[in-house]
Amino acid sequence: MGEKAVVIAAPGGPEQLKLVDVDVGAPGPGEIRIRHHACGLNYIDVYHRNGAYALPLPARLGMEGAGVVEAVGEGVTHLSVGDRAAYASQPPGAYATARVMPAKCVLKLPDAIDFETGAAMMLKGLTVQYLLRRTLPQGGLQAGDFVLFHAAAGGVGLIACQWARALGLQLIGTAGSDEKCQLALDHGAAHAINYRRDADFAARVREITGGRGVKVVYDSVGADTWEGSLNSLAPFGLLASFGGASGAVPPINIGTLAAKGSVYVTRPTLFTHIATHQATQAMGNELFDMVAGGKVRIRIDKRYALADVAEAHRDLEARRLLGSAVLLP
């Protein structure tokens, strides 16, 4: 059977995404070959496609998937042929029927979790894990604390709403419609702000928190929300900027952090956190427990054939997707 993968020859719009024949080959030391049953779709894939995050060209896309291990390279001990497995990993290349890839970020998928859920949850779920469990304000987070989470009805956001509820946190979610706000509330957000109607979302945050502000803001929107995010923080609060869906954050005058109340800013990425197999496994175990235990349910809004990847990207960029989506090889 001929193998297929999605490749771009140059950065640009969804029309750049081409499904081509590829030779997969055998895994080398530290690698595995995996046959995908489902591939995840994430906003980082758009950044790779449009050149915001430059890749060597021609480039393959896709950062997460789930399937069955077909071959194991020398030195790989945590996976065996026939294992059900899932991953979020560099380098890109998950938009494919099968691939050879580094084994360190590939984890055994528990039997209680199906392939589509596995493909839809790894990058987003591990992102929520490192945010809510590892990217913490001074003194950490305790039950009852307020946090602000932008894009709360997206794939990452809906996982965050549920995980925050499980931790006892008061998550204030923002979204761009009443329907999306209701979805966030249904998934565990304590409050939801429609920022298209309440443009000054920071003022609403102050109302909700009795004037104090939140301990931490988790912001993947970037340029459009940056100022409001800073204005939503309590003294010594933390702004964790983990994406720029609306564009890059402008340069910061560091004196602003003093004026806003000795606040902190960080720009974390998932891939720093999953740099070793040990760290990936520990984070993955916590994610698997949340999902298998029913505390976090992964909403898959849409399924696309791998050949329809351009349509999937158009839907993703137009914010037509609620929750997660997967590509099916």
PDB file of all heavy atoms in Angstrom, residues 34-40 64-69 82-87 109-122 300 326-328:
ATOM      1  N   ILE A  34       5.038   4.308  13.054  1.00  0.00           N
ATOM      2  CA  ILE A  34       3.664   4.225  13.545  1.00  0.00           C
ATOM      3  C   ILE A  34       2.702   4.364  12.374  1.00  0.00           C
ATOM      4  O   ILE A  34       2.922   5.178  11.473  1.00  0.00           O
ATOM      5  CB  ILE A  34       3.388   5.299  14.629  1.00  0.00           C
ATOM      6  CG1 ILE A  34       1.984   5.128  15.240  1.00  0.00           C
ATOM      7  CG2 ILE A  34       3.599   6.710  14.097  1.00  0.00           C
ATOM      8  CD1 ILE A  34       1.765   5.963  16.504  1.00  0.00           C
ATOM      9  N   ARG A  35       1.666   3.504  12.379  1.00  0.00           N
ATOM     10  CA  ARG A  35       0.585   3.622  11.388  1.00  0.00           C
ATOM     11  C   ARG A  35      -0.561   4.363  12.052  1.00  0.00           C
ATOM     12  O   ARG A  35      -1.116   3.938  13.054  1.00  0.00           O
ATOM     13  CB  ARG A  35       0.116   2.238  10.913  1.00  0.00           C
ATOM     14  CG  ARG A  35      -1.064   2.330   9.933  1.00  0.00           C
ATOM     15  CD  ARG A  35      -1.143   1.144   8.997  1.00  0.00           C
ATOM     16  NE  ARG A  35       0.091   0.926   8.267  1.00  0.00           N
ATOM     17  CZ  ARG A  35       0.476   1.631   7.190  1.00  0.00           C
ATOM     18  NH1 ARG A  35      -0.283   2.598   6.719  1.00  0.00           N
ATOM     19  NH2 ARG A  35       1.610   1.365   6.586  1.00  0.00           N
ATOM     20  N   HIS A  36      -0.896   5.517  11.482  1.00  0.00           N
ATOM     21  CA  HIS A  36      -1.905   6.378  12.101  1.00  0.00           C
ATOM     22  C   HIS A  36      -3.323   5.849  11.878  1.00  0.00           C
ATOM     23  O   HIS A  36      -3.682   5.473  10.759  1.00  0.00           O
ATOM     24  CB  HIS A  36      -1.819   7.795  11.524  1.00  0.00           C
ATOM     25  CG  HIS A  36      -0.608   8.548  11.956  1.00  0.00           C
ATOM     26  ND1 HIS A  36       0.179   9.274  11.086  1.00  0.00           N
ATOM     27  CD2 HIS A  36      -0.032   8.695  13.183  1.00  0.00           C
ATOM     28  CE1 HIS A  36       1.178   9.839  11.751  1.00  0.00           C
ATOM     29  NE2 HIS A  36       1.072   9.489  13.019  1.00  0.00           N
ATOM     30  N   HIS A  37      -4.121   5.874  12.921  1.00  0.00           N
ATOM     31  CA  HIS A  37      -5.560   5.674  12.813  1.00  0.00           C
ATOM     32  C   HIS A  37      -6.293   7.014  12.831  1.00  0.00           C
ATOM     33  O   HIS A  37      -7.416   7.109  12.355  1.00  0.00           O
ATOM     34  CB  HIS A  37      -6.056   4.778  13.947  1.00  0.00           C
ATOM     35  CG  HIS A  37      -5.681   3.340  13.777  1.00  0.00           C
ATOM     36  ND1 HIS A  37      -6.604   2.322  13.762  1.00  0.00           N
ATOM     37  CD2 HIS A  37      -4.471   2.744  13.589  1.00  0.00           C
ATOM     38  CE1 HIS A  37      -5.980   1.161  13.582  1.00  0.00           C
ATOM     39  NE2 HIS A  37      -4.692   1.396  13.484  1.00  0.00           N
ATOM     40  N   ALA A  38      -5.652   8.035  13.402  1.00  0.00           N
ATOM     41  CA  ALA A  38      -6.196   9.395  13.412  1.00  0.00           C
ATOM     42  C   ALA A  38      -5.054  10.364  13.645  1.00  0.00           C
ATOM     43  O   ALA A  38      -4.055  10.027  14.295  1.00  0.00           O
ATOM     44  CB  ALA A  38      -7.256   9.546  14.501  1.00  0.00           C
ATOM     45  N   CYS A  39      -5.206  11.576  13.091  1.00  0.00           N
ATOM     46  CA  CYS A  39      -4.187  12.626  13.224  1.00  0.00           C
ATOM     47  C   CYS A  39      -4.860  13.870  13.800  1.00  0.00           C
ATOM     48  O   CYS A  39      -5.970  14.225  13.389  1.00  0.00           O
ATOM     49  CB  CYS A  39      -3.566  12.975  11.870  1.00  0.00           C
ATOM     50  SG  CYS A  39      -3.165  11.531  10.847  1.00  0.00           S
ATOM     51  N   GLY A  40      -4.184  14.531  14.709  1.00  0.00           N
ATOM     52  CA  GLY A  40      -4.746  15.712  15.353  1.00  0.00           C
ATOM     53  C   GLY A  40      -4.577  16.964  14.508  1.00  0.00           C
ATOM     54  O   GLY A  40      -3.700  17.055  13.642  1.00  0.00           O
ATOM     55  N   GLU A  64       0.495  15.846  16.125  1.00  0.00           N
ATOM     56  CA  GLU A  64       0.004  14.790  17.022  1.00  0.00           C
ATOM     57  C   GLU A  64      -0.759  13.740  16.234  1.00  0.00           C
ATOM     58  O   GLU A  64      -1.331  14.019  15.179  1.00  0.00           O
ATOM     59  CB  GLU A  64      -0.873  15.371  18.134  1.00  0.00           C
ATOM     60  CG  GLU A  64      -2.203  15.913  17.687  1.00  0.00           C
ATOM     61  CD  GLU A  64      -3.075  16.441  18.832  1.00  0.00           C
ATOM     62  OE1 GLU A  64      -2.850  16.100  20.001  1.00  0.00           O
ATOM     63  OE2 GLU A  64      -4.002  17.210  18.515  1.00  0.00           O
ATOM     64  N   GLY A  65      -0.753  12.532  16.785  1.00  0.00           N
ATOM     65  CA  GLY A  65      -1.472  11.447  16.146  1.00  0.00           C
ATOM     66  C   GLY A  65      -1.603  10.262  17.076  1.00  0.00           C
ATOM     67  O   GLY A  65      -1.041  10.244  18.175  1.00  0.00           O
ATOM     68  N   ALA A  66      -2.360   9.275  16.617  1.00  0.00           N
ATOM     69  CA  ALA A  66      -2.523   8.032  17.377  1.00  0.00           C
ATOM     70  C   ALA A  66      -2.641   6.882  16.392  1.00  0.00           C
ATOM     71  O   ALA A  66      -3.192   7.030  15.301  1.00  0.00           O
ATOM     72  CB  ALA A  66      -3.763   8.103  18.265  1.00  0.00           C
ATOM     73  N   GLY A  67      -2.122   5.740  16.782  1.00  0.00           N
ATOM     74  CA  GLY A  67      -2.166   4.580  15.907  1.00  0.00           C
ATOM     75  C   GLY A  67      -1.468   3.392  16.533  1.00  0.00           C
ATOM     76  O   GLY A  67      -1.428   3.256  17.762  1.00  0.00           O
ATOM     77  N   VAL A  68      -0.898   2.538  15.682  1.00  0.00           N
ATOM     78  CA  VAL A  68      -0.273   1.291  16.138  1.00  0.00           C
ATOM     79  C   VAL A  68       1.193   1.272  15.723  1.00  0.00           C
ATOM     80  O   VAL A  68       1.533   1.608  14.576  1.00  0.00           O
ATOM     81  CB  VAL A  68      -1.010   0.070  15.550  1.00  0.00           C
ATOM     82  CG1 VAL A  68      -0.295  -1.222  15.919  1.00  0.00           C
ATOM     83  CG2 VAL A  68      -2.452   0.028  16.054  1.00  0.00           C
ATOM     84  N   VAL A  69       2.052   0.902  16.662  1.00  0.00           N
ATOM     85  CA  VAL A  69       3.493   0.821  16.398  1.00  0.00           C
ATOM     86  C   VAL A  69       3.760  -0.361  15.459  1.00  0.00           C
ATOM     87  O   VAL A  69       3.367  -1.496  15.753  1.00  0.00           O
ATOM     88  CB  VAL A  69       4.279   0.657  17.712  1.00  0.00           C
ATOM     89  CG1 VAL A  69       5.771   0.497  17.424  1.00  0.00           C
ATOM     90  CG2 VAL A  69       4.029   1.860  18.630  1.00  0.00           C
ATOM     91  N   GLY A  82       3.025  -3.490  17.732  1.00  0.00           N
ATOM     92  CA  GLY A  82       1.651  -3.823  18.077  1.00  0.00           C
ATOM     93  C   GLY A  82       1.041  -2.952  19.159  1.00  0.00           C
ATOM     94  O   GLY A  82      -0.173  -3.003  19.382  1.00  0.00           O
ATOM     95  N   ASP A  83       1.858  -2.152  19.833  1.00  0.00           N
ATOM     96  CA  ASP A  83       1.315  -1.273  20.878  1.00  0.00           C
ATOM     97  C   ASP A  83       0.408  -0.205  20.275  1.00  0.00           C
ATOM     98  O   ASP A  83       0.727   0.378  19.228  1.00  0.00           O
ATOM     99  CB  ASP A  83       2.449  -0.556  21.630  1.00  0.00           C
ATOM    100  CG  ASP A  83       3.131  -1.422  22.668  1.00  0.00           C
ATOM    101  OD1 ASP A  83       2.599  -2.505  22.991  1.00  0.00           O
ATOM    102  OD2 ASP A  83       4.200  -1.002  23.167  1.00  0.00           O
ATOM    103  N   ARG A  84      -0.702   0.056  20.936  1.00  0.00           N
ATOM    104  CA  ARG A  84      -1.490   1.252  20.647  1.00  0.00           C
ATOM    105  C   ARG A  84      -0.738   2.433  21.243  1.00  0.00           C
ATOM    106  O   ARG A  84      -0.275   2.368  22.388  1.00  0.00           O
ATOM    107  CB  ARG A  84      -2.885   1.153  21.277  1.00  0.00           C
ATOM    108  CG  ARG A  84      -3.694  -0.034  20.836  1.00  0.00           C
ATOM    109  CD  ARG A  84      -4.965  -0.214  21.656  1.00  0.00           C
ATOM    110  NE  ARG A  84      -5.980   0.794  21.291  1.00  0.00           N
ATOM    111  CZ  ARG A  84      -6.310   1.857  22.026  1.00  0.00           C
ATOM    112  NH1 ARG A  84      -5.698   2.088  23.179  1.00  0.00           N
ATOM    113  NH2 ARG A  84      -7.248   2.690  21.626  1.00  0.00           N
ATOM    114  N   ALA A  85      -0.628   3.510  20.488  1.00  0.00           N
ATOM    115  CA  ALA A  85       0.222   4.617  20.938  1.00  0.00           C
ATOM    116  C   ALA A  85      -0.344   5.949  20.473  1.00  0.00           C
ATOM    117  O   ALA A  85      -1.143   6.018  19.526  1.00  0.00           O
ATOM    118  CB  ALA A  85       1.642   4.438  20.399  1.00  0.00           C
ATOM    119  N   ALA A  86       0.067   7.010  21.174  1.00  0.00           N
ATOM    120  CA  ALA A  86      -0.340   8.366  20.808  1.00  0.00           C
ATOM    121  C   ALA A  86       0.795   9.309  21.178  1.00  0.00           C
ATOM    122  O   ALA A  86       1.624   9.009  22.039  1.00  0.00           O
ATOM    123  CB  ALA A  86      -1.630   8.762  21.520  1.00  0.00           C
ATOM    124  N   TYR A  87       0.800  10.482  20.541  1.00  0.00           N
ATOM    125  CA  TYR A  87       1.910  11.415  20.779  1.00  0.00           C
ATOM    126  C   TYR A  87       1.528  12.844  20.418  1.00  0.00           C
ATOM    127  O   TYR A  87       0.628  13.101  19.629  1.00  0.00           O
ATOM    128  CB  TYR A  87       3.133  11.016  19.939  1.00  0.00           C
ATOM    129  CG  TYR A  87       2.934  11.148  18.448  1.00  0.00           C
ATOM    130  CD1 TYR A  87       3.168  12.363  17.795  1.00  0.00           C
ATOM    131  CD2 TYR A  87       2.491  10.069  17.673  1.00  0.00           C
ATOM    132  CE1 TYR A  87       2.962  12.495  16.426  1.00  0.00           C
ATOM    133  CE2 TYR A  87       2.284  10.193  16.317  1.00  0.00           C
ATOM    134  CZ  TYR A  87       2.517  11.416  15.695  1.00  0.00           C
ATOM    135  OH  TYR A  87       2.308  11.554  14.336  1.00  0.00           O
ATOM    136  N   LEU A 109      -0.996   4.136  24.535  1.00  0.00           N
ATOM    137  CA  LEU A 109      -2.339   4.678  24.723  1.00  0.00           C
ATOM    138  C   LEU A 109      -3.162   3.679  25.528  1.00  0.00           C
ATOM    139  O   LEU A 109      -3.314   2.527  25.104  1.00  0.00           O
ATOM    140  CB  LEU A 109      -2.990   4.943  23.358  1.00  0.00           C
ATOM    141  CG  LEU A 109      -4.339   5.651  23.357  1.00  0.00           C
ATOM    142  CD1 LEU A 109      -4.214   7.068  23.906  1.00  0.00           C
ATOM    143  CD2 LEU A 109      -4.917   5.680  21.934  1.00  0.00           C
ATOM    144  N   PRO A 110      -3.699   4.081  26.691  1.00  0.00           N
ATOM    145  CA  PRO A 110      -4.500   3.143  27.481  1.00  0.00           C
ATOM    146  C   PRO A 110      -5.673   2.590  26.670  1.00  0.00           C
ATOM    147  O   PRO A 110      -6.249   3.284  25.828  1.00  0.00           O
ATOM    148  CB  PRO A 110      -5.002   4.006  28.647  1.00  0.00           C
ATOM    149  CG  PRO A 110      -4.012   5.119  28.759  1.00  0.00           C
ATOM    150  CD  PRO A 110      -3.555   5.392  27.354  1.00  0.00           C
ATOM    151  N   ASP A 111      -6.043   1.343  26.946  1.00  0.00           N
ATOM    152  CA  ASP A 111      -7.133   0.689  26.213  1.00  0.00           C
ATOM    153  C   ASP A 111      -8.453   1.436  26.363  1.00  0.00           C
ATOM    154  O   ASP A 111      -9.322   1.349  25.486  1.00  0.00           O
ATOM    155  CB  ASP A 111      -7.303  -0.754  26.703  1.00  0.00           C
ATOM    156  CG  ASP A 111      -6.142  -1.649  26.297  1.00  0.00           C
ATOM    157  OD1 ASP A 111      -5.416  -1.271  25.349  1.00  0.00           O
ATOM    158  OD2 ASP A 111      -5.957  -2.704  26.921  1.00  0.00           O
ATOM    159  N   ALA A 112      -8.615   2.177  27.454  1.00  0.00           N
ATOM    160  CA  ALA A 112      -9.869   2.894  27.706  1.00  0.00           C
ATOM    161  C   ALA A 112     -10.045   4.112  26.792  1.00  0.00           C
ATOM    162  O   ALA A 112     -11.118   4.711  26.773  1.00  0.00           O
ATOM    163  CB  ALA A 112      -9.924   3.339  29.167  1.00  0.00           C
ATOM    164  N   ILE A 113      -8.994   4.478  26.035  1.00  0.00           N
ATOM    165  CA  ILE A 113      -9.036   5.689  25.205  1.00  0.00           C
ATOM    166  C   ILE A 113      -8.905   5.287  23.732  1.00  0.00           C
ATOM    167  O   ILE A 113      -7.925   4.643  23.347  1.00  0.00           O
ATOM    168  CB  ILE A 113      -7.914   6.666  25.602  1.00  0.00           C
ATOM    169  CG1 ILE A 113      -8.059   7.062  27.088  1.00  0.00           C
ATOM    170  CG2 ILE A 113      -7.930   7.912  24.718  1.00  0.00           C
ATOM    171  CD1 ILE A 113      -6.916   7.896  27.632  1.00  0.00           C
ATOM    172  N   ASP A 114      -9.901   5.643  22.908  1.00  0.00           N
ATOM    173  CA  ASP A 114      -9.876   5.250  21.489  1.00  0.00           C
ATOM    174  C   ASP A 114      -8.899   6.114  20.695  1.00  0.00           C
ATOM    175  O   ASP A 114      -8.429   7.142  21.170  1.00  0.00           O
ATOM    176  CB  ASP A 114     -11.279   5.289  20.885  1.00  0.00           C
ATOM    177  CG  ASP A 114     -11.862   6.688  20.862  1.00  0.00           C
ATOM    178  OD1 ASP A 114     -11.368   7.537  20.097  1.00  0.00           O
ATOM    179  OD2 ASP A 114     -12.834   6.940  21.604  1.00  0.00           O
ATOM    180  N   PHE A 115      -8.618   5.682  19.469  1.00  0.00           N
ATOM    181  CA  PHE A 115      -7.602   6.356  18.657  1.00  0.00           C
ATOM    182  C   PHE A 115      -7.974   7.806  18.336  1.00  0.00           C
ATOM    183  O   PHE A 115      -7.126   8.692  18.373  1.00  0.00           O
ATOM    184  CB  PHE A 115      -7.351   5.590  17.355  1.00  0.00           C
ATOM    185  CG  PHE A 115      -6.599   4.306  17.529  1.00  0.00           C
ATOM    186  CD1 PHE A 115      -7.158   3.092  17.143  1.00  0.00           C
ATOM    187  CD2 PHE A 115      -5.320   4.299  18.068  1.00  0.00           C
ATOM    188  CE1 PHE A 115      -6.461   1.899  17.300  1.00  0.00           C
ATOM    189  CE2 PHE A 115      -4.611   3.113  18.226  1.00  0.00           C
ATOM    190  CZ  PHE A 115      -5.188   1.910  17.841  1.00  0.00           C
ATOM    191  N   GLU A 116      -9.234   8.052  17.989  1.00  0.00           N
ATOM    192  CA  GLU A 116      -9.618   9.426  17.642  1.00  0.00           C
ATOM    193  C   GLU A 116      -9.448  10.355  18.845  1.00  0.00           C
ATOM    194  O   GLU A 116      -8.933  11.466  18.709  1.00  0.00           O
ATOM    195  CB  GLU A 116     -11.064   9.466  17.131  1.00  0.00           C
ATOM    196  CG  GLU A 116     -11.223   8.847  15.754  1.00  0.00           C
ATOM    197  CD  GLU A 116     -12.611   9.063  15.174  1.00  0.00           C
ATOM    198  OE1 GLU A 116     -13.390   9.868  15.733  1.00  0.00           O
ATOM    199  OE2 GLU A 116     -12.922   8.426  14.153  1.00  0.00           O
ATOM    200  N   THR A 117      -9.867   9.887  20.007  1.00  0.00           N
ATOM    201  CA  THR A 117      -9.676  10.684  21.223  1.00  0.00           C
ATOM    202  C   THR A 117      -8.195  10.886  21.494  1.00  0.00           C
ATOM    203  O   THR A 117      -7.752  11.995  21.830  1.00  0.00           O
ATOM    204  CB  THR A 117     -10.356   9.992  22.427  1.00  0.00           C
ATOM    205  OG1 THR A 117     -11.742   9.832  22.136  1.00  0.00           O
ATOM    206  CG2 THR A 117     -10.188  10.805  23.697  1.00  0.00           C
ATOM    207  N   GLY A 118      -7.408   9.836  21.332  1.00  0.00           N
ATOM    208  CA  GLY A 118      -5.958   9.934  21.542  1.00  0.00           C
ATOM    209  C   GLY A 118      -5.317  10.969  20.635  1.00  0.00           C
ATOM    210  O   GLY A 118      -4.491  11.780  21.065  1.00  0.00           O
ATOM    211  N   ALA A 119      -5.730  10.968  19.360  1.00  0.00           N
ATOM    212  CA  ALA A 119      -5.153  11.928  18.405  1.00  0.00           C
ATOM    213  C   ALA A 119      -5.609  13.342  18.692  1.00  0.00           C
ATOM    214  O   ALA A 119      -4.898  14.300  18.394  1.00  0.00           O
ATOM    215  CB  ALA A 119      -5.542  11.532  16.985  1.00  0.00           C
ATOM    216  N   ALA A 120      -6.814  13.494  19.246  1.00  0.00           N
ATOM    217  CA  ALA A 120      -7.372  14.834  19.489  1.00  0.00           C
ATOM    218  C   ALA A 120      -6.915  15.437  20.806  1.00  0.00           C
ATOM    219  O   ALA A 120      -7.104  16.630  21.020  1.00  0.00           O
ATOM    220  CB  ALA A 120      -8.900  14.757  19.481  1.00  0.00           C
ATOM    221  N   MET A 121      -6.291  14.639  21.685  1.00  0.00           N
ATOM    222  CA  MET A 121      -6.070  15.115  23.052  1.00  0.00           C
ATOM    223  C   MET A 121      -4.619  15.328  23.425  1.00  0.00           C
ATOM    224  O   MET A 121      -4.355  15.996  24.433  1.00  0.00           O
ATOM    225  CB  MET A 121      -6.649  14.103  24.050  1.00  0.00           C
ATOM    226  CG  MET A 121      -5.882  12.798  24.113  1.00  0.00           C
ATOM    227  SD  MET A 121      -6.653  11.613  25.246  1.00  0.00           S
ATOM    228  CE  MET A 121      -5.374  11.487  26.467  1.00  0.00           C
ATOM    229  N   MET A 122      -3.667  14.807  22.658  1.00  0.00           N
ATOM    230  CA  MET A 122      -2.301  14.790  23.169  1.00  0.00           C
ATOM    231  C   MET A 122      -1.686  16.193  23.233  1.00  0.00           C
ATOM    232  O   MET A 122      -1.250  16.642  24.293  1.00  0.00           O
ATOM    233  CB  MET A 122      -1.425  13.845  22.330  1.00  0.00           C
ATOM    234  CG  MET A 122      -1.788  12.387  22.490  1.00  0.00           C
ATOM    235  SD  MET A 122      -1.660  11.773  24.195  1.00  0.00           S
ATOM    236  CE  MET A 122       0.128  11.770  24.403  1.00  0.00           C
ATOM    237  N   ILE A 300     -14.829  15.986  20.132  1.00  0.00           N
ATOM    238  CA  ILE A 300     -14.381  16.001  18.733  1.00  0.00           C
ATOM    239  C   ILE A 300     -15.523  16.569  17.902  1.00  0.00           C
ATOM    240  O   ILE A 300     -16.570  15.943  17.741  1.00  0.00           O
ATOM    241  CB  ILE A 300     -13.959  14.595  18.256  1.00  0.00           C
ATOM    242  CG1 ILE A 300     -12.793  14.078  19.120  1.00  0.00           C
ATOM    243  CG2 ILE A 300     -13.555  14.640  16.781  1.00  0.00           C
ATOM    244  CD1 ILE A 300     -12.350  12.680  18.789  1.00  0.00           C
ATOM    245  N   VAL A 326     -10.199  15.993  14.012  1.00  0.00           N
ATOM    246  CA  VAL A 326      -9.185  15.028  13.620  1.00  0.00           C
ATOM    247  C   VAL A 326      -9.234  14.778  12.113  1.00  0.00           C
ATOM    248  O   VAL A 326     -10.269  14.945  11.478  1.00  0.00           O
ATOM    249  CB  VAL A 326      -9.330  13.683  14.368  1.00  0.00           C
ATOM    250  CG1 VAL A 326      -9.003  13.835  15.853  1.00  0.00           C
ATOM    251  CG2 VAL A 326     -10.720  13.082  14.184  1.00  0.00           C
ATOM    252  N   LEU A 327      -8.079  14.376  11.584  1.00  0.00           N
ATOM    253  CA  LEU A 327      -7.945  13.921  10.207  1.00  0.00           C
ATOM    254  C   LEU A 327      -7.855  12.395  10.231  1.00  0.00           C
ATOM    255  O   LEU A 327      -7.149  11.818  11.066  1.00  0.00           O
ATOM    256  CB  LEU A 327      -6.668  14.490   9.578  1.00  0.00           C
ATOM    257  CG  LEU A 327      -6.537  16.011   9.552  1.00  0.00           C
ATOM    258  CD1 LEU A 327      -5.112  16.421   9.183  1.00  0.00           C
ATOM    259  CD2 LEU A 327      -7.524  16.627   8.582  1.00  0.00           C
ATOM    260  N   LEU A 328      -8.579  11.753   9.305  1.00  0.00           N
ATOM    261  CA  LEU A 328      -8.596  10.297   9.272  1.00  0.00           C
ATOM    262  C   LEU A 328      -7.912   9.808   7.993  1.00  0.00           C
ATOM    263  O   LEU A 328      -8.377  10.074   6.895  1.00  0.00           O
ATOM    264  CB  LEU A 328     -10.045   9.790   9.317  1.00  0.00           C
ATOM    265  CG  LEU A 328     -10.826  10.249  10.567  1.00  0.00           C
ATOM    266  CD1 LEU A 328     -12.260   9.742  10.506  1.00  0.00           C
ATOM    267  CD2 LEU A 328     -10.144   9.754  11.843  1.00  0.00           C
TER     268      LEU A 328
END
